[in-house]
Amino acid sequence: MDFLFGPVPSRRLGLSLGINIIPFKVCSYRCIYCEVGKTTDLSIERKSFFEVELIEKEFKDNIGKLGKIDFVTFSGSGEPTLNKDIGRLIDFVKGFGYRTAVLTNGSLLWREDVKRDLLRADIVIPSLDAADEDSFKKINRPHPSLSLTKIIHGIADFNHSFSGQMWLEILFVEGVNDSKRNVKALIDAIKLINPDKIQLGTVDRPPTLPWAEKLSFEKLNLIADNMRSKLNAEIEIIGGFDKENEEFEEDKERAILKLINIRPCSRVELMKIFKIDKKELENILDRFSKEGKAFEYSYGGKDFITGSMARIAGIGLED
Ligand code: SF4
């Protein structure tokens, strides 16, 4: 399978089967904290990156073998709304009776075609890390033609027409988007957007730029309390897995490889997700390492495994 990964236990979505419809690494942003790796194609051009029939066939042929799935989630190696087939694919997946979620950076929701496509989803989770120009440019490093005002109004307009749930995700990086001024601008934008839920997070996997530092839990909590006092919305702090996958039936080695190609994982996470012990995991990682398929590196005092040397070597656009 090339497009499907998981199901992966996700605290937010339960058992989530991912569909990666974007090649590595096409995105409209170059976030300093990105865990996928450096953006090599900074773009706002929507395309059919793959033959849509191939994605549909892979889904149809495998969905019955993958056990329990709570959500089918469009995400992966870049910004999923850049794939112009996303609307058709959401309809296709829903035709099998599954609930759909889209993880997006929200940068293109002002476009009528993107809006039309995502209105079909059950949950849309856009990110908005900054609502002031300085920190927006610093943290997300957007495509030069994107306007922050247009993006915020695009997310708000979308939500006014959307009958599903919108969960707004904000990721904080120490010293970049966490000042009182930054948080005030975010609160004003959130009032306009009116999401069902706000999810606050910080860097907890190796970021694209090594200097992007996580916020302490105390600081994140203070921001959450500040927002709670000013907003009439559910606010939660997210991060980590808390549910085990009971029914993972795909070949484990292939599944591990696919996951670490999308997201760096610690050994503990891999053991928990794939229900394997340390010895079995070490054997698999040893084989991957000899075949040049997995690489290990440290971030924040924790060791992570990634499937792409590019994530470590920083191959991509100049920073
Ligand atoms: S975090 Fe998301 S939006 Fe930011 S560069 Fe990575 S894929 Fe793109």
Side-chain angles (χ1 to χ4, degrees), residues 56-73:
E56 291 173 348
K57 181 169 180 343
E58 184 175 314
F59 185 86
K60 190 163 166 256
D61 290 350
N62 291 285
I63 193 65
K65 308 174 201 162
L66 296 173
K68 184 175 183 295
I69 291 165
D70 296 315
F71 270 93
V72 175
T73 306

Side-chain angles (χ1 to χ4, degrees), residues 17 29 33 95 178 196 284:
L17 175 70
Y29 286 176
Y33 59 78
D178 59 342
D196 297 284
I284 292 171

Side-chain angles (χ1 to χ4, degrees), residues 25-37 39 76-79 104-105 127 129 140 208:
K25 176 35 188 21
V26 187
C27 194
S28 50
Y29 286 176
R30 298 184 300 141
C31 302
I32 59 172
Y33 59 78
C34 185
E35 62 189 38
V36 180
T39 298
S77 307
E79 170 49 36
T104 169
N105 64 21
S127 54
D129 301 322
N140 299 124
T208 295

